[in-house]
């Protein structure tokens, strides 16, 4: 159901009524939302806007960049650098941090983002998104990469925008999870769900099954038990989904429950996983926890992991609480 509460009003209320966010953070989140609107426009134009296909470059992770990876990154940088709310930004698509140029005032916050999540889905017209995380800059003079290396539990805001059949912005400032649908006629995000809750139990799991032979024993055991269905130890049938856009898989879980896993596997045993801690696992982990779910790497709560590198990877298991706890218990 649509409300008459815009994102702007919701944020003002979080600032005024709940005293949760300072004005500078509110303004920063408005700018992030505006960036997502621009990215949504570009995504929607698709081939008409010449935004599909591959760019001739690689990012720091050694992945071929898509044109939209670069466009979304530029939109976020350009929109956020001049407002005076930020000290620096970090992105999946940039090796080092981006310090706000000194022609602009420096703010108190740090913004991290995955500008375009689900890049393999861009050209095939399947849901993609933008993920973001906001940290407070520690006291001190010159901002550095070290300032970003804070546990996920220190986030002051996190969210994502999913560009699917609808464009939906999902946000937490530590007071539960709220969803806002983009009203294209009004040009604004409208609150369409508050107090989002992930059901503690589920019969739906999400994992890339093609990697099964590379998994570790606990993950293999969990999935085997799901596949055994009614006749197996779980005594119920399970359904499976894998969109290959973390935003879209997490959005489904926030909407109807489920468990999402991108675990460490033996393909590249020295890598802790595929997904990135700072701008994928942390913001998604906090959203899921704020909705009553859980997020772990199997051994430790995602939000408690002390980062040592900006682009560090992590094993991710998140979603419905009882299922996530079960997977953790198989790791014990
Ligand atoms: P990105 O497009 O930002 O690199 O992220 C893609 C991630 C994530 O969104 C998704 O869950 C996963 O990669 C899919 O990986 P596979 O293609 O290995 O299934
Ligand atoms: Mn991603
Ligand atoms: Mn990405």
């Amino acid at each position: 159901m649509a409300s008459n509460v815009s994102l702007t009003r919701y944020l003002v209320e979080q600032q005024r009524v709940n005293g949760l966010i300072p004005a500078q953070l509110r303004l920063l989140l408005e700018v992030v939302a505006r960036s997502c609107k621009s990215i949504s426009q570009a995504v929607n134009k698709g081939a008409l806007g010449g935004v599909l296909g591959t760019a001739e470059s690689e990012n720091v992770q050694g992945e071929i960049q898509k044109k939209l990876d670069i466009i979304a990154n530029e939109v976020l940088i350009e929109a956020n650098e001049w407002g005076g709310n930020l000290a620096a930004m970090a992105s999946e698509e940039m090796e080092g941090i981006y310090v706000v140029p000194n022609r602009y005032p420096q703010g108190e916050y740090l913004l991290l983002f995955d500008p375009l999540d689900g890049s393999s889905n861009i050209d095939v017209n399947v849901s993609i998104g933008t993920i973001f995380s906001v940290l407070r800059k520690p006291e001190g003079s010159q901002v550095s990469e070290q300032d970003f290396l804070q546990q996920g539990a220190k986030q002051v805001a996190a969210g994502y925008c999913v560009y699917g059949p609808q464009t939906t912005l999902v946000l937490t400032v530590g007071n539960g999870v709220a969803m806002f649908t983009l009203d294209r006629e009004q040009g604004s995000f409208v609150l369409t769900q508050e107090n989002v809750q992930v059901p503690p139990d589920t019969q739906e799991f999400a994992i890339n099954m093609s990697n099964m032979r590379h998994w570790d024993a606990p993950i293999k055991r969990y999935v085997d038990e799901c596949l055994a269905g009614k006749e197996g130890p779980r005594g119920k049938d399970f359904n499976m989904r894998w969109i290959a856009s973390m935003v879209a898989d997490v959005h489904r879980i926030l909407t109807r429950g489920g468990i999402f896993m991108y675990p460490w596997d033996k393909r590249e045993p020295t890598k802790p996983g595929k997904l990135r801690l700072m701008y994928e696992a942390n913001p998604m982990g906090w959203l899921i926890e704020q909705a009553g779910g859980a997020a772990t790497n199997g051994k430790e709560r995602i939000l408690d992991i002390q980062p040592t590198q900006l682009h560090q990877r992590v094993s991710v298991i998140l979603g419905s609480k009882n299922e996530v706890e079960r997977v953790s218990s198989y790791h014990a």
Side-chain angles (χ1 to χ4, degrees):
M1 260 295 283
S3 64
N4 55 2
V5 179
S6 62
L7 174 68
T8 301
R9 179 167 160 192
Y10 176 86
L11 290 173
V12 166
E13 283 171 3
Q14 297 304 310
Q15 180 191 341
R16 195 195 286 154
V17 184
N18 301 325
L20 262 172
I21 51 169
Q24 197 173 77
L25 179 54
R26 171 171 65 82
L27 294 169
L28 155 55
L29 292 171
E30 291 269 17
V31 181
V32 171
R34 203 160 66 226
S35 316
C36 291
K37 262 191 270 180
S38 307
I39 297 168
S40 176
Q41 284 299 115
V43 168
N44 268 263
K45 287 198 181 112
L48 299 176
V51 299
L52 303 186
T54 302
E56 264 136 42
S57 50
E58 252 184 27
N59 67 12
V60 57
Q61 350 259 345
E63 299 158 344
I64 302 287
Q65 290 175 304
K66 300 279 185 174
K67 285 184 194 162
L68 262 180
D69 288 323
I70 295 171
I71 293 167
N73 194 61
E74 280 169 3
V75 166
L76 281 155
I77 299 278
E78 279 164 20
N80 284 285
E81 67 176 355
W82 49 266
N85 308 311
L86 283 175
M89 297 178 243
S91 161
E92 180 191 344
E93 305 303 335
M94 300 185 297
E95 183 161 10
I97 64 167
Y98 180 90
V99 178
V100 166
N102 27 19
R103 60 181 180 279
Y104 303 120
Q106 283 224 350
E108 291 169 22
Y109 293 98
L110 306 173
L111 176 66
L112 297 100
F113 44 84
D114 175 354
L116 211 294
D117 176 66
S119 301
S120 74
N121 283 322
I122 297 171
D123 294 351
V124 292
N125 201 357
V126 171
S127 296
I128 50 182
T130 298
I131 310 173
F132 59 92
S133 163
V134 185
L135 295 165
R136 193 180 272 283
K137 177 188 165 294
E139 303 283 315
S141 47
Q142 197 54 33
V143 61
S144 71
E145 192 164 310
Q146 189 61 35
D147 293 340
F148 283 79
L149 305 180
Q150 304 181 39
Q151 291 164 314
K154 301 259 175 68
Q155 293 172 103
V156 293
Y160 64 81
C161 186
V162 56
Y163 315 113
Q166 305 104 44
T167 287
T168 308
L169 185 90
V170 179
L171 178 71
T172 187
V173 291
N175 182 28
V177 176
M179 294 186 174
F180 304 84
T181 306
L182 180 59
D183 179 335
R184 287 189 191 275
E185 277 102 77
Q186 307 284 342
S188 62
F189 282 103
V190 179
L191 181 68
T192 40
Q193 210 190 329
E194 227 176 336
N195 192 24
V196 173
Q197 290 292 319
V198 177
D201 294 298
T202 182
Q203 286 174 240
E204 198 161 61
F205 67 95
I207 192 164
N208 185 337
M209 291 287 290
S210 70
N211 298 322
M212 188 167 210
R213 69 190 188 284
H214 306 296
W215 296 337
D216 218 0
I219 299 293
K220 183 136 182 12
R221 172 178 170 196
Y222 176 77
V223 174
D224 279 345
E225 290 179 359
C226 291
L227 296 177
K230 253 200 192 84
E231 292 75 39
R234 302 297 309 274
K236 56 182 187 179
D237 290 332
F238 280 78
N239 187 18
M240 196 202 87
R241 287 286 186 277
W242 185 251
I243 304 175
S245 292
M246 189 191 201
V247 268
D249 280 309
V250 168
H251 194 65
R252 183 187 61 256
I253 290 171
L254 283 171
T255 306
R256 68 177 189 209
I259 180 167
F260 169 96
M261 292 170 283
Y262 210 123
W264 170 91
D265 68 43
K266 296 186 191 98
R267 276 174 300 172
E268 288 180 273
T270 54
K271 271 191 197 168
K274 174 177 181 181
L275 298 177
R276 276 69 40 130
L277 175 64
M278 304 288 298
Y279 40 80
E280 290 179 319
N282 274 342
M284 293 312 209
W286 196 31
L287 285 167
I288 290 285
E289 282 196 5
Q290 281 287 311
T296 173
N297 65 2
K299 298 187 173 104
E300 193 181 3
R301 180 183 175 226
I302 296 278
L303 300 188
D304 286 338
I305 297 173
Q306 176 59 52
T308 53
Q309 281 171 351
L310 198 54
H311 298 287
Q312 96 184 50
R313 294 174 190 258
V314 65
S315 184
V316 177
I317 299 151
L318 60 76
S320 292
K321 202 174 185 147
N322 293 339
E323 294 300 308
V324 173
E325 280 171 4
R326 177 181 286 270
V327 180
S328 295
S329 74
Y330 291 179
H331 282 82

